[in-house]
Every structure is written in C-alpha cells, then in structure tokens.
Amino acid sequence: MGIIERKQKEKQEMRKRILNGARKVFLQNGYEQTSMRNIASEISYSAGVIYFHFKDKSEIFQELHREGFSLLLKQLHVLDSVTEPFERLKATGRVFIKFAQDNKDYYNLMFLVDEPMKAPASGGFQIAKEAINLLHDLVKECQEAGRFKNMDSEYLSFMILSAMHGICALFCKDRTTVFVDKTNHELMENGYASFVALLEKG
C-alpha cells in the first residue's frame, strides 16, 4: 500500500471513529448538550482532531443521519423486485420495523434525537426526504392499482409512517413494558399485522 492510500485509509478510519463516538455522545446527552469537546473526549483525542474532519457538531449529526437513512434505503430497495404494490407496502413496514430492531442507535438518532433545523436541505435531511418520498410513491402506486380510493396520498403516507414509527419508537425508548405478557417481538410483529389488517380493508 502506497503512502497516499495509507493516509486515505487512516483518514477514513478516523472519521469512522469520530462518528461512532459521536453517536454514543448524542444518544447520551442529546444534541444541545453535545459538544465537539466531549465527542473528542469520548474517543480520547483532542478537539482539534475532530475539527480537522468536521466543521461542527451539526455536520457530524447530519452525517450520522445520512448513514442511517442510507442503510435503511438500501434495505428498502431490496423490495424493488416485488411487483405488486400493496405487497411491497406491507413488506416495507416489516423492513422498517426490523431496521429499528437491528439498529436501535441509528433509529434513535434518525427519528428521536432533536436537532435545530439549521440546514434542512443538507445531505442528512435530503436523504430522509428521499425515504419518505419512497413511501409516498408506493402509496400512489397502490392507489393506481385500485386501493385506498378517494384518499389523499400524502395524508395516508403520513398515517402509515406514523403507525410504523410509533411501533419503533415505543420499542427504542423501552415503552413496551406495560404489556407485561407480551415480548417486544410479539408486540411489534402482531401489532403491525393488526395495522395491515386495517389497511387491507381500505
């Protein structure tokens, strides 16, 4: 490996270390109480090293958003081969819920940790919009195939996203313990199945 390649690899490894540390700090402290200094402390480096790779904590947060939504979109696009739109819609919900189960930290950062919307057009938020547009387009495909007649596609997309997010948020914030006789898996799987049953009547 040449010098240039080695330096590039070292840079990528450092960015990954910063992002991993920042993810932990954001989740522990929230956005407002997170600083470049305590991110640096988490990974045992100086704040100057962090500033060499990222201009501020907002850029780090947006990069974590982008990573999370890129991973989610990659999993959702596996369903592109499912030709029947309603079957794809039902599977989309299952993939979304499985993503939250397998990537709890990412899900919390993507949906549950607040950041002041300083730059909504930036990369992290643009890819979030892409994920929502994917759902909206799928709802419109279902309508073209004869489902959800006379329903506003945006309102319906919002309702579907809200239902999926509600299931995931209760899991990610450990708010399912009130259902003492049901496991998280049972609640999420069967709760979503009950929601799908309602959609099937629409």
Side-chain angles (χ1 to χ4, degrees), residues 3 9 49 52 54 80 89 99 108 112 125 131 138 145 154 157 168 172 198:
I3 295 175
K9 183 179 179 182
V49 172
F52 180 79
F54 298 96
D80 289 348
L89 178 62
F99 173 84
N108 276 320
L112 300 172
F125 294 102
L138 182 49
E154 289 194 44
S157 298
C168 296
C172 287
L198 294 176

Side-chain angles (χ1 to χ4, degrees), residues 152-166:
D152 184 283
S153 62
E154 289 194 44
Y155 292 152
L156 180 56
S157 298
F158 177 78
M159 186 272 286
I160 293 171
L161 177 61
S162 298
M164 295 187 305
H165 172 59

Side-chain angles (χ1 to χ4, degrees), residues 11 13-23 25-26 34-61 63-64:
K11 182 179 179 180
E13 289 174 348
M14 178 55 69
R15 282 179 64 89
K16 184 176 180 181
R17 187 175 301 169
I18 292 169
L19 291 169
N20 286 339
R23 186 183 303 110
V25 176
F26 279 126
T34 293
S35 67
M36 298 291 267
R37 186 176 298 278
N38 53 35
I39 292 172
S41 177
E42 175 63 31
I43 63 172
S44 301
Y45 279 85
S46 69
V49 172
I50 312 296
Y51 280 110
F52 180 79
H53 294 274
F54 298 96
K55 67 179 182 180
D56 55 27
K57 69 177 182 180
S58 178
E59 185 177 20
I60 297 175
F61 191 84
E63 178 63 16
L64 288 169

Side-chain angles (χ1 to χ4, degrees), residues 168-190:
C168 296
L170 288 170
F171 163 73
C172 287
K173 288 300 183 182
D174 299 317
R175 298 294 190 269
T176 58
T177 53
V178 65
F179 300 94
V180 293
D181 296 325
K182 308 294 183 185
T183 66
N184 281 330
H185 179 77
E186 289 172 336
L187 286 169
M188 297 174 84
E189 180 177 350
N190 293 298

Side-chain angles (χ1 to χ4, degrees), residues 92-103:
T92 292
R94 290 191 290 270
V95 168
F96 189 92
I97 291 168
K98 186 69 164 57
F99 173 84
Q101 291 172 323
D102 294 343
N103 302 277

